[in-house]
Amino acid sequence: MLVTATTSAGPLSDSLREFVTEKLGTALDHHERLVRSATVRIEDINGAHRGGEDQLCRLVISLVRLPSVVIEERAESVFAAVSAAAERAGRAVTKAVDKRRKKPIHHRKPHEAA
């Protein structure tokens, strides 16, 4: 799975990049063959000097033959936001795959000659 990660503050630290890759790998492992790519965008919404839930993690998971899954999570720390977003992404991908599997296949009736 190709993981692209960026922040509004510049490049990701090695430890954060490793954390993101590990969390996404764990969350999406069950459906790895269906995941084309994952894009992660991390932003500090209020700036560095304000507290609260101002760390935003936005995930876009591109799937094979299914619509992309988009998740946004806010938390007080970057690591908490990434963890929560990865967990939600795992559940959302599972739901999308299950929904697709349960969708009935409609067969066309053969065209009858007149």
Side-chain angles (χ1 to χ4, degrees):
M1 164 179 49
L2 172 66
V3 177
T4 306
T6 59
T7 69
S8 57
L12 262 65
S13 66
D14 291 339
S15 62
L16 182 54
R17 182 175 302 283
E18 186 177 314
F19 183 79
V20 167
T21 304
E22 180 183 325
K23 284 295 181 182
L24 283 176
T26 301
L28 301 173
D29 185 45
H30 187 67
H31 299 295
E32 186 175 2
R33 62 181 169 49
L34 298 174
V35 177
R36 197 174 276 140
S37 65
T39 303
V40 182
R41 175 76 178 163
I42 298 170
E43 295 181 39
D44 186 351
I45 299 169
N46 295 335
H49 303 294
R50 295 187 178 175
E53 290 189 354
D54 65 343
Q55 301 296 323
L56 174 71
C57 178
R58 184 172 198 267
L59 298 178
V60 179
I61 312 296
S62 177
L63 302 171
V64 176
R65 288 190 235 136
L66 288 169
S68 293
V69 171
V70 180
I71 303 290
E72 285 190 0
E73 253 328 303
R74 290 184 186 194
E76 289 187 23
S77 77
V78 172
F79 295 98
V82 169
S83 291
E87 288 175 18
R88 280 187 57 207
R91 290 191 305 268
V93 169
T94 297
K95 185 176 179 180
V97 170
D98 289 348
K99 184 177 179 181
R100 176 70 176 160
R101 285 184 182 150
K102 292 177 184 177
K103 187 175 183 180
I105 299 173
H106 299 286
H107 297 283
R108 290 185 186 198
K109 292 182 182 178
H111 184 68
E112 294 179 17

